[in-house]
Amino acid sequence: MTLRDIEIFVTVCELKSMSAAAKKLYMSQPAISQAISQMEGDLQVRLFDRIGRKLSLTYAGEILYSYGKRILNLVKEAESTLDDVRNMRMGRLRVGTSTTVGIYLLPEIIGEFRKKFSIDVYFTIGNTAGIEKLIFDNSIDLGIVEGPVHSRDIVVTPYIDDELYLVCSKSHRWAEKKSISPAEIENEDIIMREKGSGMREIFEETMARNNVRYRIKYVLNNTEAIKKAVEANIGVSVISRLAVKKEIRGGRLVKVDIENIRFERKFSIIYHKDKFKSNLFEEFIRHLYNYSIR
Amino acid sequence: MTLRDIEIFVTVCELKSMSAAAKKLYMSQPAISQAISQMEGDLQVRLFDRIGRKLSLTYAGEILYSYGKRILNLVKEAESTLDDVRNMRMGRLRVGTSTTVGIYLLPEIIGEFRKKFSIDVYFTIGNTAGIEKLIFDNSIDLGIVEGPVHSRDIVVTPYIDDELYLVCSKSHRWAEKKSISPAEIENEDIIMREKGSGMREIFEETMARNNVRYRIKYVLNNTEAIKKAVEANIGVSVISRLAVKKEIRGGRLVKVDIENIRFERKFSIIYHKDKFKSNLFEEFIRHLYNYSIR
DNA sequence: AGTTTATATAAAATATTATTATCATTAATA
DNA sequence: TATTAATGATAATAATATTTTATATAAACT
């Protein structure tokens, strides 16, 4: 029994005529006759009683008619749902990101995207290596990560340049100056994330490269907590512009430039080279570039 | 999209491998590859991501997998239900009968039949012409009717011979005699069904043929009512043996023979000559002969 | 690097499905 | 009642789909 058979059978049921069904399905009458009698042979039941030249359903036929309609409807529903996926009326995107992007940038970008497309978005936060692994598994569709990615099977495209800002409380003595010399940092209490965090790595690497000494007085494993501590003037810190945008704008934190020193890092969009790029996927990548904060 | 396609797709999903699916379905691997890529072409969506040499379902694929299983299950269910019909574990019989057979004989016969086969039985009571019409419409599968059927498209096979008994109350003077001469009826009050009823036709026709005069004093359109009236000794009547079997056995009515006169009629089983005779149909006919009361 | 395993592609073989032509039967019409 | 039109069945042929064989390509494992 094929879907075609079922379609033929249901049509014959509804028109109570093989010839009429043939017309409706744009095929010859013998094709219908043959299909029906083949079904009867396969199923070993009579589907129609042929009395006079009128067809009437047998009990078995009535049962098959009822199932047949359900089956055809389900197939139609499946096809139309897939069509919705194709036309981005439905969909799913699985994104993996670094902590900073995941917390301070993506929620807004995804929010905007979902205004245009009513799709499900899943996102996972992890370090670059972890995100890379998820891409290999095809557990996520794309990643936004920091730093270089070494697999030649992964496509890497530059996304946004991030900068870490030296920030202090508005009551800190630097708040007025807006700019300091590197030497001024040496005796300042610094609040920093734990070893291994991306933020700390860039800070230490940059400071070392510029031969600036520093003193990390407090370690907190949470950027929000660091911001609160800086606001309370417990010390100063170096935090992604994405994470302190609001506080600087609101005046609760002050950005302080350091002569000749900038803490920089680059985010990239990554995905597997063999990944099939659905319409939705491409649309999301475009959206990422349009809405990113430069 | 055919059922075969869906079966292939679902198998690939479950084994996460085209080659494994090929083995399971006893076909070559390229047939699977082709079927899947054709589906993707037809539906215009990617169903699998081919990353490395691992397959993983896309979002569209997951949707189709879910629908696919439902569709295949429904087809399986339909086939197994039809198999139940074929093996008489399910079924339907539509029988049309004359009043007497329908009320006094069939209920018991059908009850016995349903002990063997758990099927639905519908029955319609009507006169011969009406039953014949229902057979032409294929609104019933078979009929049990009285008298000759004239259409050459209807198969008529003799069923049982019925006899109408002259009955009186146990307190009637005939109750002792058990046999009377035709002349004795002439002055007796007779209770009878209305004109046009099968019972009355036979009675009148037989009496006329034997030149016996009679007097119908009471007319009731219901056999049960007539039986009660005879029991109450309001008069005597002529009633089918099927209808008075219990009362005679219980002694509430007494059968009285009339010398040289018998009221007889024959019941026949009828069905359309083109009617497909399902297993259940044939089984029921056999059952009718086994359980009929001779 | 070489071997094995998995999927894709092209051409050929096979199987399935539909069509044309025709018949038998039935219902409708003259 | 004879004639015509319509319906479904059957057989042979034609057209289309599907599957296999052979081969290529690429990835994972020794």
Side-chain angles (χ1 to χ4, degrees):
Chain A
M1 203 166 50
T2 69
L3 286 180
R4 181 71 173 155
D5 286 338
I6 296 174
E7 193 187 5
I8 290 172
F9 172 72
V10 166
T11 308
V12 173
C13 290
E14 282 168 359
L15 299 177
K16 299 177 204 316
S17 153
M18 301 215 192
S19 320
K23 237 175 232 169
K24 180 160 185 206
L25 298 173
Y26 302 105
M27 57 199 290
S28 67
Q29 167 269 313
I32 306 282
S33 274
Q34 280 168 194
I36 298 290
S37 69
Q38 193 184 10
M39 286 176 87
E40 292 182 323
D42 291 347
L43 297 166
Q44 291 283 300
V45 285
R46 197 47 95 93
L47 297 172
F48 292 102
D49 263 318
R50 287 89 164 159
I51 283 187
R53 74 192 204 193
K54 245 170 205 160
L55 296 177
S56 57
L57 278 172
T58 60
Y59 183 64
E62 277 178 17
I63 287 171
L64 186 59
Y65 177 56
S66 149
Y67 274 106
K69 279 187 301 183
R70 287 170 64 194
I71 292 166
L72 294 182
N73 281 333
L74 209 49
V75 171
K76 231 192 278 176
E77 191 183 318
E79 286 173 337
S80 111
T81 305
L82 291 179
D83 198 60
D84 285 347
V85 173
R86 197 166 68 79
N87 294 121
M88 299 186 289
R89 287 186 293 267
M90 273 182 74
R92 180 193 66 190
L93 264 176
R94 299 164 306 172
V95 186
T97 64
S98 68
T99 316
T100 310
V101 173
I103 294 177
Y104 298 105
L105 181 56
L106 263 195
E108 193 187 322
I109 291 183
I110 287 171
E112 284 299 315
F113 192 66
R114 283 177 43 103
K115 283 183 190 165
K116 292 195 284 182
F117 303 104
S118 78
I119 58 152
D120 297 331
V121 178
Y122 297 85
F123 70 95
T124 309
I125 287 177
N127 61 28
T128 303
I131 299 300
E132 222 177 309
K133 207 165 199 166
L134 293 173
I135 283 186
F136 266 98
D137 287 357
N138 198 24
S139 294
I140 59 175
D141 299 309
L142 61 91
I144 300 175
V145 296
E146 177 196 334
V149 173
H150 295 295
S151 163
R152 62 187 178 79
D153 292 330
I154 286 186
V155 176
V156 183
T157 60
Y159 182 42
I160 51 172
D161 293 337
D162 188 24
E163 186 178 348
L164 305 191
Y165 292 164
L166 169 61
V167 288
C168 65
S169 142
K170 61 183 174 186
S171 55
H172 192 278
R173 66 191 144 82
W174 288 348
E176 292 292 301
K177 297 172 68 174
K178 296 277 167 83
S179 181
I180 59 167
S181 72
E184 288 182 74
I185 295 177
E186 293 190 7
N187 291 314
E188 199 66 24
D189 288 345
I190 293 175
I191 312 168
M192 201 22 78
R193 286 280 301 277
E194 72 286 0
K195 284 249 177 212
S197 94
M199 192 161 126
R200 177 146 177 181
E201 274 174 15
I202 286 157
F203 173 72
E204 294 190 333
E205 191 270 325
T206 308
M207 293 298 262
R209 188 157 27 79
N210 287 278
N211 295 309
V212 183
R213 278 181 298 174
Y214 55 91
R215 180 176 79 216
I216 290 175
K217 185 97 180 265
Y218 305 102
V219 173
L220 292 170
N221 65 357
N222 177 300
T223 305
E224 286 301 306
I226 294 175
K227 278 153 59 178
K228 292 291 175 208
V230 174
E231 277 184 43
N233 210 7
I234 291 166
V236 300
S237 188
V238 168
I239 302 175
S240 166
R241 65 181 171 93
L242 299 172
V244 293
K245 201 174 61 168
K246 278 182 193 160
E247 286 77 6
I248 289 173
R249 198 173 289 159
R252 295 189 299 282
L253 288 178
V254 177
K255 177 193 168 200
V256 181
D257 292 328
I258 310 169
E259 281 154 24
N260 301 316
I261 294 182
R262 280 166 66 90
F263 302 96
E264 285 177 323
R265 64 176 167 182
K266 289 173 188 305
F267 286 114
S268 302
I269 295 174
I270 62 174
Y271 51 82
H272 197 284
K273 75 173 180 21
D274 295 338
K275 178 75 185 174
F276 175 75
K277 287 173 276 304
S278 66
N279 293 336
L280 193 64
F281 181 95
E282 307 234 54
E283 197 64 44
F284 186 67
I285 300 271
R286 248 193 307 282
H287 180 85
L288 278 178
Y289 285 108
N290 290 339
Y291 279 77
S292 62
I293 295 141
R294 256 158 271 263
Chain B
M1 203 165 52
T2 68
L3 285 180
R4 181 72 172 156
D5 285 337
I6 296 174
E7 192 187 7
I8 290 172
F9 172 73
V10 165
T11 308
V12 173
C13 290
E14 281 167 359
L15 300 176
K16 298 176 204 315
S17 152
M18 303 216 190
S19 321
K23 237 175 231 167
K24 182 163 184 203
L25 298 172
Y26 303 103
M27 57 198 293
S28 69
Q29 167 269 313
I32 305 284
S33 273
Q34 280 167 190
I36 298 290
S37 68
Q38 193 184 11
M39 287 176 88
E40 292 182 323
D42 290 348
L43 297 166
Q44 291 283 301
V45 284
R46 197 47 95 91
L47 297 173
F48 292 103
D49 263 317
R50 287 84 163 163
I51 284 189
R53 73 192 206 194
K54 245 169 206 163
L55 295 177
S56 58
L57 278 173
T58 60
Y59 183 64
E62 279 177 16
I63 288 170
L64 186 60
Y65 176 55
S66 148
Y67 274 106
K69 277 186 301 184
R70 287 170 63 195
I71 293 166
L72 295 181
N73 281 333
L74 209 49
V75 171
K76 232 191 277 175
E77 192 183 316
E79 285 174 338
S80 111
T81 305
L82 292 179
D83 198 60
D84 284 347
V85 174
R86 197 167 67 80
N87 293 121
M88 299 184 289
R89 287 186 293 269
M90 272 182 75
R92 179 194 66 189
L93 264 175
R94 299 163 308 172
V95 187
T97 65
S98 68
T99 317
T100 311
V101 174
I103 293 177
Y104 299 106
L105 180 57
L106 262 194
E108 193 186 321
I109 291 184
I110 287 172
E112 284 300 315
F113 193 66
R114 282 177 45 100
K115 284 182 189 163
K116 291 195 283 180
F117 303 104
S118 78
I119 58 153
D120 297 331
V121 178
Y122 298 85
F123 71 94
T124 308
I125 288 178
N127 60 27
T128 303
I131 299 298
E132 222 178 309
K133 207 165 197 167
L134 293 174
I135 282 186
F136 265 98
D137 288 356
N138 198 24
S139 294
I140 58 175
D141 299 309
L142 60 91
I144 300 174
V145 296
E146 176 196 334
V149 171
H150 296 294
S151 165
R152 62 184 178 83
D153 292 329
I154 286 185
V155 177
V156 183
T157 60
Y159 182 42
I160 51 173
D161 293 339
D162 188 25
E163 185 178 348
L164 307 190
Y165 291 164
L166 170 62
V167 287
C168 64
S169 142
K170 62 182 173 189
S171 54
H172 192 279
R173 65 192 144 83
W174 288 348
E176 292 293 299
K177 299 171 66 176
K178 295 278 167 76
S179 183
I180 60 169
S181 71
E184 289 182 74
I185 294 177
E186 293 189 9
N187 291 314
E188 199 65 24
D189 289 344
I190 293 176
I191 312 169
M192 205 15 84
R193 286 279 301 277
E194 72 285 2
K195 285 248 178 212
S197 96
M199 196 159 124
R200 178 144 174 183
E201 273 173 17
I202 287 157
F203 173 73
E204 295 191 331
E205 190 270 325
T206 307
M207 295 297 264
R209 188 157 27 82
N210 288 278
N211 296 311
V212 184
R213 278 182 297 177
Y214 55 91
R215 178 176 80 216
I216 290 175
K217 184 95 180 267
Y218 306 100
V219 173
L220 292 171
N221 65 355
N222 177 299
T223 306
E224 286 302 304
I226 293 176
K227 276 152 60 177
K228 293 290 175 209
V230 174
E231 278 183 44
N233 211 6
I234 291 166
V236 301
S237 188
V238 168
I239 302 176
S240 165
R241 64 178 171 97
L242 298 172
V244 293
K245 200 174 63 170
K246 278 182 192 157
E247 287 76 5
I248 290 173
R249 198 173 291 160
R252 295 189 298 284
L253 289 178
V254 178
K255 177 192 169 199
V256 181
D257 292 326
I258 311 169
E259 281 153 25
N260 302 318
I261 294 183
R262 280 167 66 92
F263 303 96
E264 284 176 326
R265 65 173 166 184
K266 290 175 188 301
F267 286 113
S268 302
I269 294 174
I270 62 174
Y271 50 84
H272 198 283
K273 76 172 182 15
D274 295 337
K275 177 76 186 174
F276 175 74
K277 288 173 275 305
S278 66
N279 292 336
L280 194 64
F281 181 96
E282 308 235 55
E283 195 64 45
F284 186 67
I285 300 270
R286 246 193 309 282
H287 179 84
L288 279 177
Y289 284 108
N290 289 339
Y291 279 77
S292 64
I293 296 139
R294 259 159 269 262

